[in-house]
Amino acid sequence: MIIETDDFDEALRFYRDVLGMTEQPAFGSGGDDRVAILHAGLATIELASPTHTRNIDAIEGAPHAAGSKLRLALEVDDTEATVAATEGAGVPTIATPTITPFRSLNARVQGPSGWQVTFFEELEPLEERVHSEGFATDDQR
């Protein structure tokens, strides 16, 4: 789940510091582009500033959904096959599969109830990606 938040510091404090969710390094370009990926059991919660969500929209080639604060992101084994399956079920594709700078293959569809759903396939393990430019925790930027 990706949560766009206008008060990034308060959201990060609540999820990471109050609830104790562990933060992993995540790709961000600095400045107002802030992101924190937090482990929440078998899921992660990704907090993102409005600038970061617009940057991801641009990377994925998807239009920005103004006013949409929640977007679901699901890790899949094969992004292209998943998009083909959703298209076969009549689900509109918003952004076709794109290799991102953070080494995943992402695509986006228009899910039910107005939610956008991103499918992502990791192209290399986290242990390798964290050594790439742009990866850090929020307090390391």
Side-chain angles (χ1 to χ4, degrees):
M1 178 177 3
I2 299 171
I3 303 171
E4 178 180 326
T5 176
D6 292 324
D7 191 344
F8 186 90
D9 289 321
E10 179 56 25
L12 184 60
R13 185 192 70 78
F14 177 76
Y15 288 104
R16 184 188 64 194
D17 303 336
V18 174
L19 298 181
M21 293 182 182
T22 303
E23 183 180 4
Q24 76 177 42
F27 179 86
S29 62
D32 288 333
D33 180 357
R34 296 182 66 194
V35 59
I37 297 179
L38 307 170
H39 286 269
L42 297 177
T44 60
I45 294 176
E46 183 173 334
L47 306 174
S49 66
T51 301
H52 186 76
T53 56
R54 284 190 299 277
N55 287 344
I56 297 303
D57 292 338
I59 287 169
E60 293 178 356
H64 184 66
S68 178
K69 296 289 185 182
L70 293 175
R71 180 165 70 206
L72 186 61
L74 302 173
E75 184 173 5
V76 297
D77 291 331
D78 186 332
T79 297
E80 292 175 343
T82 303
V83 170
T86 58
E87 287 177 340
V91 175
T93 297
I94 297 171
T96 58
T98 302
I99 296 176
T100 69
F102 35 94
R103 302 295 301 140
S104 63
L105 182 62
N106 290 20
R108 198 177 309 172
V109 299
Q110 183 59 58
S113 303
W115 281 42
Q116 293 184 2
V117 180
T118 297
F119 302 121
F120 68 97
E121 173 186 347
E122 298 297 7
L123 300 177
E124 60 187 30
L126 180 61
E127 297 79 28
E128 292 177 27
R129 287 184 285 135
V130 298
H131 300 293
S132 301
E133 185 176 336
F135 278 86
T137 59
D138 185 64
D139 60 345
Q140 294 171 332
R141 284 191 184 84

PDB file of all heavy atoms in Angstrom, residues 88-117:
ATOM      1  N   GLY A  88      -7.325  -8.983 -20.060  1.00  0.00           N
ATOM      2  CA  GLY A  88      -8.253 -10.021 -20.511  1.00  0.00           C
ATOM      3  C   GLY A  88      -9.555 -10.011 -19.732  1.00  0.00           C
ATOM      4  O   GLY A  88     -10.593 -10.453 -20.244  1.00  0.00           O
ATOM      5  N   ALA A  89      -9.516  -9.517 -18.533  1.00  0.00           N
ATOM      6  CA  ALA A  89     -10.716  -9.413 -17.698  1.00  0.00           C
ATOM      7  C   ALA A  89     -11.409  -8.066 -17.866  1.00  0.00           C
ATOM      8  O   ALA A  89     -12.349  -7.754 -17.142  1.00  0.00           O
ATOM      9  CB  ALA A  89     -10.348  -9.632 -16.240  1.00  0.00           C
ATOM     10  N   GLY A  90     -10.922  -7.250 -18.819  1.00  0.00           N
ATOM     11  CA  GLY A  90     -11.564  -5.962 -19.085  1.00  0.00           C
ATOM     12  C   GLY A  90     -11.124  -4.827 -18.185  1.00  0.00           C
ATOM     13  O   GLY A  90     -11.750  -3.767 -18.161  1.00  0.00           O
ATOM     14  N   VAL A  91     -10.033  -5.010 -17.444  1.00  0.00           N
ATOM     15  CA  VAL A  91      -9.532  -3.966 -16.550  1.00  0.00           C
ATOM     16  C   VAL A  91      -8.658  -3.010 -17.364  1.00  0.00           C
ATOM     17  O   VAL A  91      -7.725  -3.441 -18.034  1.00  0.00           O
ATOM     18  CB  VAL A  91      -8.714  -4.586 -15.392  1.00  0.00           C
ATOM     19  CG1 VAL A  91      -8.090  -3.506 -14.519  1.00  0.00           C
ATOM     20  CG2 VAL A  91      -9.592  -5.514 -14.565  1.00  0.00           C
ATOM     21  N   PRO A  92      -8.944  -1.709 -17.326  1.00  0.00           N
ATOM     22  CA  PRO A  92      -8.146  -0.747 -18.099  1.00  0.00           C
ATOM     23  C   PRO A  92      -6.715  -0.608 -17.572  1.00  0.00           C
ATOM     24  O   PRO A  92      -6.488  -0.513 -16.366  1.00  0.00           O
ATOM     25  CB  PRO A  92      -8.887   0.586 -17.924  1.00  0.00           C
ATOM     26  CG  PRO A  92     -10.203   0.260 -17.304  1.00  0.00           C
ATOM     27  CD  PRO A  92     -10.061  -1.070 -16.637  1.00  0.00           C
ATOM     28  N   THR A  93      -5.757  -0.603 -18.485  1.00  0.00           N
ATOM     29  CA  THR A  93      -4.358  -0.375 -18.136  1.00  0.00           C
ATOM     30  C   THR A  93      -4.090   1.123 -18.162  1.00  0.00           C
ATOM     31  O   THR A  93      -4.408   1.799 -19.138  1.00  0.00           O
ATOM     32  CB  THR A  93      -3.423  -1.096 -19.126  1.00  0.00           C
ATOM     33  OG1 THR A  93      -3.659  -2.502 -19.015  1.00  0.00           O
ATOM     34  CG2 THR A  93      -1.962  -0.800 -18.832  1.00  0.00           C
ATOM     35  N   ILE A  94      -3.508   1.640 -17.102  1.00  0.00           N
ATOM     36  CA  ILE A  94      -3.156   3.055 -17.006  1.00  0.00           C
ATOM     37  C   ILE A  94      -1.730   3.266 -17.495  1.00  0.00           C
ATOM     38  O   ILE A  94      -1.427   4.246 -18.163  1.00  0.00           O
ATOM     39  CB  ILE A  94      -3.304   3.547 -15.551  1.00  0.00           C
ATOM     40  CG1 ILE A  94      -4.763   3.450 -15.108  1.00  0.00           C
ATOM     41  CG2 ILE A  94      -2.788   4.967 -15.394  1.00  0.00           C
ATOM     42  CD1 ILE A  94      -4.966   3.711 -13.625  1.00  0.00           C
ATOM     43  N   ALA A  95      -0.822   2.339 -17.118  1.00  0.00           N
ATOM     44  CA  ALA A  95       0.591   2.436 -17.508  1.00  0.00           C
ATOM     45  C   ALA A  95       1.101   1.035 -17.820  1.00  0.00           C
ATOM     46  O   ALA A  95       0.947   0.125 -17.014  1.00  0.00           O
ATOM     47  CB  ALA A  95       1.411   3.073 -16.400  1.00  0.00           C
ATOM     48  N   THR A  96       1.697   0.884 -18.980  1.00  0.00           N
ATOM     49  CA  THR A  96       2.236  -0.407 -19.402  1.00  0.00           C
ATOM     50  C   THR A  96       3.516  -0.726 -18.631  1.00  0.00           C
ATOM     51  O   THR A  96       4.127   0.168 -18.030  1.00  0.00           O
ATOM     52  CB  THR A  96       2.515  -0.397 -20.913  1.00  0.00           C
ATOM     53  OG1 THR A  96       3.435   0.650 -21.201  1.00  0.00           O
ATOM     54  CG2 THR A  96       1.225  -0.197 -21.709  1.00  0.00           C
ATOM     55  N   PRO A  97       3.966  -1.982 -18.647  1.00  0.00           N
ATOM     56  CA  PRO A  97       5.173  -2.351 -17.901  1.00  0.00           C
ATOM     57  C   PRO A  97       6.383  -1.490 -18.269  1.00  0.00           C
ATOM     58  O   PRO A  97       6.692  -1.279 -19.440  1.00  0.00           O
ATOM     59  CB  PRO A  97       5.391  -3.813 -18.298  1.00  0.00           C
ATOM     60  CG  PRO A  97       4.002  -4.321 -18.574  1.00  0.00           C
ATOM     61  CD  PRO A  97       3.318  -3.151 -19.252  1.00  0.00           C
ATOM     62  N   THR A  98       7.034  -0.974 -17.217  1.00  0.00           N
ATOM     63  CA  THR A  98       8.181  -0.072 -17.353  1.00  0.00           C
ATOM     64  C   THR A  98       9.243  -0.461 -16.334  1.00  0.00           C
ATOM     65  O   THR A  98       8.924  -0.663 -15.160  1.00  0.00           O
ATOM     66  CB  THR A  98       7.732   1.387 -17.077  1.00  0.00           C
ATOM     67  OG1 THR A  98       6.698   1.738 -17.982  1.00  0.00           O
ATOM     68  CG2 THR A  98       8.891   2.360 -17.207  1.00  0.00           C
ATOM     69  N   ILE A  99      10.498  -0.538 -16.791  1.00  0.00           N
ATOM     70  CA  ILE A  99      11.595  -0.766 -15.847  1.00  0.00           C
ATOM     71  C   ILE A  99      11.903   0.558 -15.166  1.00  0.00           C
ATOM     72  O   ILE A  99      12.134   1.569 -15.815  1.00  0.00           O
ATOM     73  CB  ILE A  99      12.837  -1.326 -16.559  1.00  0.00           C
ATOM     74  CG1 ILE A  99      12.530  -2.711 -17.141  1.00  0.00           C
ATOM     75  CG2 ILE A  99      14.024  -1.402 -15.587  1.00  0.00           C
ATOM     76  CD1 ILE A  99      13.648  -3.320 -17.948  1.00  0.00           C
ATOM     77  N   THR A 100      11.898   0.534 -13.842  1.00  0.00           N
ATOM     78  CA  THR A 100      12.098   1.742 -13.041  1.00  0.00           C
ATOM     79  C   THR A 100      13.562   1.923 -12.663  1.00  0.00           C
ATOM     80  O   THR A 100      14.338   0.968 -12.708  1.00  0.00           O
ATOM     81  CB  THR A 100      11.269   1.659 -11.744  1.00  0.00           C
ATOM     82  OG1 THR A 100      11.843   0.638 -10.917  1.00  0.00           O
ATOM     83  CG2 THR A 100       9.800   1.359 -12.031  1.00  0.00           C
ATOM     84  N   PRO A 101      13.946   3.138 -12.231  1.00  0.00           N
ATOM     85  CA  PRO A 101      15.313   3.351 -11.753  1.00  0.00           C
ATOM     86  C   PRO A 101      15.619   2.563 -10.478  1.00  0.00           C
ATOM     87  O   PRO A 101      16.765   2.374 -10.127  1.00  0.00           O
ATOM     88  CB  PRO A 101      15.390   4.847 -11.476  1.00  0.00           C
ATOM     89  CG  PRO A 101      14.164   5.456 -11.999  1.00  0.00           C
ATOM     90  CD  PRO A 101      13.179   4.367 -12.262  1.00  0.00           C
ATOM     91  N   PHE A 102      14.569   2.124  -9.772  1.00  0.00           N
ATOM     92  CA  PHE A 102      14.774   1.363  -8.540  1.00  0.00           C
ATOM     93  C   PHE A 102      14.681  -0.133  -8.787  1.00  0.00           C
ATOM     94  O   PHE A 102      14.465  -0.924  -7.882  1.00  0.00           O
ATOM     95  CB  PHE A 102      13.814   1.821  -7.427  1.00  0.00           C
ATOM     96  CG  PHE A 102      12.454   2.242  -7.899  1.00  0.00           C
ATOM     97  CD1 PHE A 102      11.404   1.358  -7.932  1.00  0.00           C
ATOM     98  CD2 PHE A 102      12.241   3.557  -8.305  1.00  0.00           C
ATOM     99  CE1 PHE A 102      10.150   1.753  -8.372  1.00  0.00           C
ATOM    100  CE2 PHE A 102      10.993   3.969  -8.732  1.00  0.00           C
ATOM    101  CZ  PHE A 102       9.944   3.052  -8.772  1.00  0.00           C
ATOM    102  N   ARG A 103      14.890  -0.534 -10.054  1.00  0.00           N
ATOM    103  CA  ARG A 103      15.075  -1.918 -10.474  1.00  0.00           C
ATOM    104  C   ARG A 103      13.870  -2.820 -10.223  1.00  0.00           C
ATOM    105  O   ARG A 103      13.982  -3.903  -9.673  1.00  0.00           O
ATOM    106  CB  ARG A 103      16.333  -2.508  -9.847  1.00  0.00           C
ATOM    107  CG  ARG A 103      17.603  -1.744 -10.168  1.00  0.00           C
ATOM    108  CD  ARG A 103      17.982  -1.756 -11.641  1.00  0.00           C
ATOM    109  NE  ARG A 103      18.159  -3.134 -12.084  1.00  0.00           N
ATOM    110  CZ  ARG A 103      17.752  -3.603 -13.260  1.00  0.00           C
ATOM    111  NH1 ARG A 103      17.189  -2.812 -14.126  1.00  0.00           N
ATOM    112  NH2 ARG A 103      17.934  -4.860 -13.571  1.00  0.00           N
ATOM    113  N   SER A 104      12.712  -2.341 -10.640  1.00  0.00           N
ATOM    114  CA  SER A 104      11.540  -3.197 -10.668  1.00  0.00           C
ATOM    115  C   SER A 104      10.811  -2.947 -11.983  1.00  0.00           C
ATOM    116  O   SER A 104      11.044  -1.933 -12.647  1.00  0.00           O
ATOM    117  CB  SER A 104      10.620  -2.949  -9.465  1.00  0.00           C
ATOM    118  OG  SER A 104      10.107  -1.639  -9.471  1.00  0.00           O
ATOM    119  N   LEU A 105       9.988  -3.902 -12.369  1.00  0.00           N
ATOM    120  CA  LEU A 105       9.165  -3.776 -13.565  1.00  0.00           C
ATOM    121  C   LEU A 105       7.765  -3.451 -13.080  1.00  0.00           C
ATOM    122  O   LEU A 105       7.095  -4.292 -12.479  1.00  0.00           O
ATOM    123  CB  LEU A 105       9.194  -5.077 -14.380  1.00  0.00           C
ATOM    124  CG  LEU A 105       8.406  -5.069 -15.686  1.00  0.00           C
ATOM    125  CD1 LEU A 105       8.975  -4.017 -16.652  1.00  0.00           C
ATOM    126  CD2 LEU A 105       8.420  -6.451 -16.332  1.00  0.00           C
ATOM    127  N   ASN A 106       7.328  -2.203 -13.303  1.00  0.00           N
ATOM    128  CA  ASN A 106       6.058  -1.717 -12.786  1.00  0.00           C
ATOM    129  C   ASN A 106       5.053  -1.499 -13.908  1.00  0.00           C
ATOM    130  O   ASN A 106       5.429  -1.094 -15.009  1.00  0.00           O
ATOM    131  CB  ASN A 106       6.237  -0.376 -12.068  1.00  0.00           C
ATOM    132  CG  ASN A 106       6.978  -0.491 -10.764  1.00  0.00           C
ATOM    133  OD1 ASN A 106       7.673  -1.459 -10.525  1.00  0.00           O
ATOM    134  ND2 ASN A 106       6.832   0.508  -9.920  1.00  0.00           N
ATOM    135  N   ALA A 107       3.784  -1.706 -13.594  1.00  0.00           N
ATOM    136  CA  ALA A 107       2.671  -1.378 -14.475  1.00  0.00           C
ATOM    137  C   ALA A 107       1.507  -0.985 -13.575  1.00  0.00           C
ATOM    138  O   ALA A 107       1.468  -1.346 -12.396  1.00  0.00           O
ATOM    139  CB  ALA A 107       2.287  -2.572 -15.348  1.00  0.00           C
ATOM    140  N   ARG A 108       0.555  -0.230 -14.131  1.00  0.00           N
ATOM    141  CA  ARG A 108      -0.564   0.228 -13.313  1.00  0.00           C
ATOM    142  C   ARG A 108      -1.876   0.024 -14.045  1.00  0.00           C
ATOM    143  O   ARG A 108      -1.973   0.249 -15.249  1.00  0.00           O
ATOM    144  CB  ARG A 108      -0.394   1.701 -12.959  1.00  0.00           C
ATOM    145  CG  ARG A 108      -1.264   2.098 -11.779  1.00  0.00           C
ATOM    146  CD  ARG A 108      -1.086   3.520 -11.349  1.00  0.00           C
ATOM    147  NE  ARG A 108       0.314   3.887 -11.130  1.00  0.00           N
ATOM    148  CZ  ARG A 108       0.701   5.124 -10.892  1.00  0.00           C
ATOM    149  NH1 ARG A 108      -0.182   6.101 -10.827  1.00  0.00           N
ATOM    150  NH2 ARG A 108       1.976   5.405 -10.713  1.00  0.00           N
ATOM    151  N   VAL A 109      -2.890  -0.403 -13.293  1.00  0.00           N
ATOM    152  CA  VAL A 109      -4.229  -0.591 -13.839  1.00  0.00           C
ATOM    153  C   VAL A 109      -5.226   0.204 -12.997  1.00  0.00           C
ATOM    154  O   VAL A 109      -4.924   0.615 -11.876  1.00  0.00           O
ATOM    155  CB  VAL A 109      -4.635  -2.091 -13.874  1.00  0.00           C
ATOM    156  CG1 VAL A 109      -3.675  -2.893 -14.754  1.00  0.00           C
ATOM    157  CG2 VAL A 109      -4.736  -2.682 -12.488  1.00  0.00           C
ATOM    158  N   GLN A 110      -6.410   0.409 -13.570  1.00  0.00           N
ATOM    159  CA  GLN A 110      -7.479   1.074 -12.840  1.00  0.00           C
ATOM    160  C   GLN A 110      -8.268   0.011 -12.103  1.00  0.00           C
ATOM    161  O   GLN A 110      -9.008  -0.749 -12.707  1.00  0.00           O
ATOM    162  CB  GLN A 110      -8.402   1.846 -13.789  1.00  0.00           C
ATOM    163  CG  GLN A 110      -9.500   2.612 -13.078  1.00  0.00           C
ATOM    164  CD  GLN A 110      -8.945   3.630 -12.091  1.00  0.00           C
ATOM    165  OE1 GLN A 110      -8.196   4.515 -12.458  1.00  0.00           O
ATOM    166  NE2 GLN A 110      -9.303   3.493 -10.830  1.00  0.00           N
ATOM    167  N   GLY A 111      -8.068  -0.070 -10.797  1.00  0.00           N
ATOM    168  CA  GLY A 111      -8.747  -1.077  -9.990  1.00  0.00           C
ATOM    169  C   GLY A 111     -10.158  -0.655  -9.628  1.00  0.00           C
ATOM    170  O   GLY A 111     -10.639   0.412 -10.028  1.00  0.00           O
ATOM    171  N   PRO A 112     -10.835  -1.482  -8.850  1.00  0.00           N
ATOM    172  CA  PRO A 112     -12.206  -1.173  -8.435  1.00  0.00           C
ATOM    173  C   PRO A 112     -12.246  -0.005  -7.451  1.00  0.00           C
ATOM    174  O   PRO A 112     -11.248   0.322  -6.819  1.00  0.00           O
ATOM    175  CB  PRO A 112     -12.658  -2.472  -7.771  1.00  0.00           C
ATOM    176  CG  PRO A 112     -11.401  -3.144  -7.335  1.00  0.00           C
ATOM    177  CD  PRO A 112     -10.356  -2.752  -8.334  1.00  0.00           C
ATOM    178  N   SER A 113     -13.399   0.604  -7.345  1.00  0.00           N
ATOM    179  CA  SER A 113     -13.657   1.683  -6.381  1.00  0.00           C
ATOM    180  C   SER A 113     -12.737   2.877  -6.557  1.00  0.00           C
ATOM    181  O   SER A 113     -12.457   3.599  -5.605  1.00  0.00           O
ATOM    182  CB  SER A 113     -13.551   1.161  -4.938  1.00  0.00           C
ATOM    183  OG  SER A 113     -14.436   0.086  -4.740  1.00  0.00           O
ATOM    184  N   GLY A 114     -12.216   3.082  -7.774  1.00  0.00           N
ATOM    185  CA  GLY A 114     -11.393   4.242  -8.049  1.00  0.00           C
ATOM    186  C   GLY A 114      -9.930   4.090  -7.651  1.00  0.00           C
ATOM    187  O   GLY A 114      -9.143   4.996  -7.870  1.00  0.00           O
ATOM    188  N   TRP A 115      -9.548   2.965  -7.037  1.00  0.00           N
ATOM    189  CA  TRP A 115      -8.161   2.755  -6.627  1.00  0.00           C
ATOM    190  C   TRP A 115      -7.315   2.389  -7.824  1.00  0.00           C
ATOM    191  O   TRP A 115      -7.690   1.569  -8.657  1.00  0.00           O
ATOM    192  CB  TRP A 115      -8.070   1.629  -5.626  1.00  0.00           C
ATOM    193  CG  TRP A 115      -8.443   1.990  -4.224  1.00  0.00           C
ATOM    194  CD1 TRP A 115      -9.494   2.780  -3.835  1.00  0.00           C
ATOM    195  CD2 TRP A 115      -7.813   1.568  -3.043  1.00  0.00           C
ATOM    196  NE1 TRP A 115      -9.526   2.867  -2.483  1.00  0.00           N
ATOM    197  CE2 TRP A 115      -8.510   2.128  -1.965  1.00  0.00           C
ATOM    198  CE3 TRP A 115      -6.712   0.763  -2.788  1.00  0.00           C
ATOM    199  CZ2 TRP A 115      -8.148   1.910  -0.643  1.00  0.00           C
ATOM    200  CZ3 TRP A 115      -6.347   0.541  -1.473  1.00  0.00           C
ATOM    201  CH2 TRP A 115      -7.066   1.120  -0.413  1.00  0.00           C
ATOM    202  N   GLN A 116      -6.140   2.990  -7.922  1.00  0.00           N
ATOM    203  CA  GLN A 116      -5.152   2.562  -8.901  1.00  0.00           C
ATOM    204  C   GLN A 116      -4.344   1.431  -8.272  1.00  0.00           C
ATOM    205  O   GLN A 116      -4.031   1.476  -7.087  1.00  0.00           O
ATOM    206  CB  GLN A 116      -4.221   3.709  -9.288  1.00  0.00           C
ATOM    207  CG  GLN A 116      -4.922   4.807 -10.048  1.00  0.00           C
ATOM    208  CD  GLN A 116      -3.950   5.890 -10.493  1.00  0.00           C
ATOM    209  OE1 GLN A 116      -2.752   5.803 -10.261  1.00  0.00           O
ATOM    210  NE2 GLN A 116      -4.476   6.905 -11.134  1.00  0.00           N
ATOM    211  N   VAL A 117      -4.030   0.417  -9.072  1.00  0.00           N
ATOM    212  CA  VAL A 117      -3.270  -0.724  -8.579  1.00  0.00           C
ATOM    213  C   VAL A 117      -2.000  -0.854  -9.406  1.00  0.00           C
ATOM    214  O   VAL A 117      -2.053  -0.957 -10.628  1.00  0.00           O
ATOM    215  CB  VAL A 117      -4.086  -2.030  -8.650  1.00  0.00           C
ATOM    216  CG1 VAL A 117      -3.267  -3.206  -8.130  1.00  0.00           C
ATOM    217  CG2 VAL A 117      -5.384  -1.898  -7.858  1.00  0.00           C
TER     218      VAL A 117
END
